[in-house]
Amino acid sequence: MWFKNLQIYRITDWKLMPEELEELLARRTLQACLSMEMQSLGWIPPGMEETRLVYARGQQMLIALGSEKKLLPASVVNQRAKERAVEMEAQQGYPVGRKQIKEIKEAALYELLPRAFVVRQKSHAWIDPVDGWIIIDSSNIAKADTFAETLLKTIPTLLLKRIKTNLTPASAMTRWLSGDELPHAFTIDSDSVFRSREDKKVSVSYQRHPLDSDEITRHVRAGKEVTKQAMVWENNLSFVLDENLQIKRLTLLDIEKEPAESAEEQFDSNFFLMTEQLKQLLPDLIDALGGEVVE
């Protein structure tokens, strides 16, 4: 168990014990897609055990949201609709109108849905009630928000919001590359993305290419800001920070792990190591960005 992409949320006044959370999640477990459904969402076991919906180690908890989604490409629906339109034209003796085309497409969709392939996916979230974090392992903001929305539906009393900092990541990263001193815990790595402030389509990417001061100055003077920057924390974790305060490509560096006797023990060991590292990284990162905005 090791998260690769972090979407960072803040929780307040968390009062649920693992057993209480388990009861709430059990009311909204993943069900198979019905024949006329495109997608279904629900909670599934996050760990090695196939029955427990909450994996707990001390006060730290892990949950997982499962999804079933039907794959039905628009091109397939359009092809079936086209065939039906040709048949209807032959029957009625004149071309189908716009309203008929819309109705034909809807009918084609409902006809094909029961035969569509189903893909199952799984997303994890770590809940830290001690320091008030919910971290969703996802590189996609929309999917993370869907996870958060489902959790709010499951726990209506939950207070959940995305983290905001006094300095935007883009402004902070641009300052750091322009010469401002980094907080002692961090170092700059060699991947960067500069994007024009005026034209969002104009960007320059560097991979495994350390930038010299002249290159940085040229981009900043041209009106560009840093939207992604590879960084290292305490020589323990490497990651890419982006303008939306997402952490991507999180990688554990040279920390020695004790060998585990079983898959369950390995899962437990990795979860403990990850949470212990992130409980230190996250406050350092928030401090580096000027602290958290209190609303």
Side-chain angles (χ1 to χ4, degrees):
M1 169 46 58
W2 185 265
F3 285 13
K4 294 294 185 182
N5 304 283
L6 310 185
Q7 305 276 351
I8 309 171
Y9 294 79
R10 171 66 74 199
I11 53 173
T12 54
D13 297 325
W14 180 276
K15 298 177 182 179
L16 294 174
M17 299 298 290
E19 298 79 10
E20 297 171 308
L21 178 58
E22 179 94 25
E23 291 180 7
L24 291 172
L25 299 183
R27 300 174 186 174
R28 194 182 286 265
T29 57
L30 178 63
Q31 306 297 317
C33 273
L34 298 177
S35 61
M36 303 311 294
E37 282 185 327
M38 282 296 295
Q39 179 175 276
S40 66
L41 296 169
W43 304 108
I44 59 177
M48 305 298 293
E49 294 185 26
E50 296 184 358
T51 56
R52 300 302 299 268
L53 295 173
V54 178
Y55 175 85
R57 195 183 199 281
Q59 293 178 289
Q60 307 304 309
M61 291 176 269
L62 183 72
I63 61 175
L65 181 68
S67 68
E68 281 198 357
K69 186 174 183 180
K70 291 185 177 178
L71 296 182
L72 188 55
S75 59
V76 175
V77 176
N78 290 337
Q79 179 61 36
R80 180 55 57 91
K82 183 178 179 181
E83 294 170 358
R84 293 290 181 263
V86 171
E87 293 173 1
M88 184 172 288
E89 286 183 8
Q91 292 173 0
Q92 63 189 20
Y94 55 87
V96 297
R98 289 184 179 180
K99 184 178 179 181
Q100 286 179 306
I101 287 290
K102 182 179 179 181
E103 293 173 348
I104 291 171
K105 283 187 176 181
E106 290 177 353
L109 175 64
Y110 287 121
E111 178 188 349
L112 293 170
L113 262 180
R115 289 180 279 168
F117 289 108
V118 176
V119 176
R120 177 173 282 210
Q121 294 180 325
K122 182 178 186 179
S123 302
H124 288 90
W126 159 47
I127 302 173
D128 178 6
V130 179
D131 295 320
W133 303 110
I134 286 187
I135 308 300
I136 299 172
D137 183 14
S138 177
S139 62
N140 185 287
I141 290 179
K143 288 184 178 180
D145 286 342
T146 296
F147 192 116
E149 290 166 5
T150 306
L151 189 59
L152 287 169
K153 292 176 182 177
T154 306
I155 313 173
T157 58
L158 180 63
L159 299 176
L160 174 66
K161 63 179 181 179
R162 280 191 174 271
I163 286 284
K164 293 182 181 179
T165 53
N166 288 298
L167 289 176
T168 66
S171 64
M173 291 186 292
T174 304
R175 291 182 187 182
W176 295 335
L177 284 188
S178 298
D180 281 12
E181 186 175 353
L182 271 81
H184 72 279
F186 296 94
T187 55
I188 293 295
D189 213 342
S190 55
D191 291 7
S192 305
V193 176
F194 289 81
R195 189 183 66 201
S196 171
R197 291 184 174 91
E198 296 180 357
D199 186 349
K200 302 299 184 183
K201 296 181 181 179
V202 177
S203 65
V204 180
S205 301
Y206 293 89
Q207 292 185 343
R208 299 180 183 177
H209 179 75
L211 298 179
D212 60 34
S213 58
D214 290 339
E215 287 178 296
I216 295 168
T217 300
R218 184 174 72 252
H219 288 309
V220 173
R221 285 181 175 174
K224 295 187 180 72
E225 61 183 353
V226 181
T227 58
K228 293 182 181 179
Q229 179 60 53
M231 304 180 70
V232 175
W233 172 79
E234 293 286 9
N235 295 320
N236 288 343
L237 297 173
S238 68
F239 60 93
V240 173
L241 177 65
D242 82 356
E243 61 183 329
N244 297 312
L245 193 48
Q246 299 176 73
I247 293 177
K248 299 183 176 181
R249 288 164 36 193
L250 180 70
T251 304
L252 180 67
L253 300 179
D254 298 329
I255 293 181
E256 197 170 321
K257 298 182 184 179
E258 294 185 6
E261 295 184 1
S262 66
E264 291 82 0
E265 288 184 358
Q266 189 65 63
F267 186 96
D268 184 75
S269 175
N270 288 346
F271 180 68
F272 173 75
L273 180 59
M274 180 187 76
T275 55
E276 288 301 302
Q277 291 290 308
L278 293 183
K279 285 170 69 175
Q280 299 173 67
L281 165 65
L282 293 173
D284 282 353
L285 180 61
I286 300 304
D287 287 344
L289 297 173
E292 186 176 348
V293 174
V294 179
E295 297 177 343

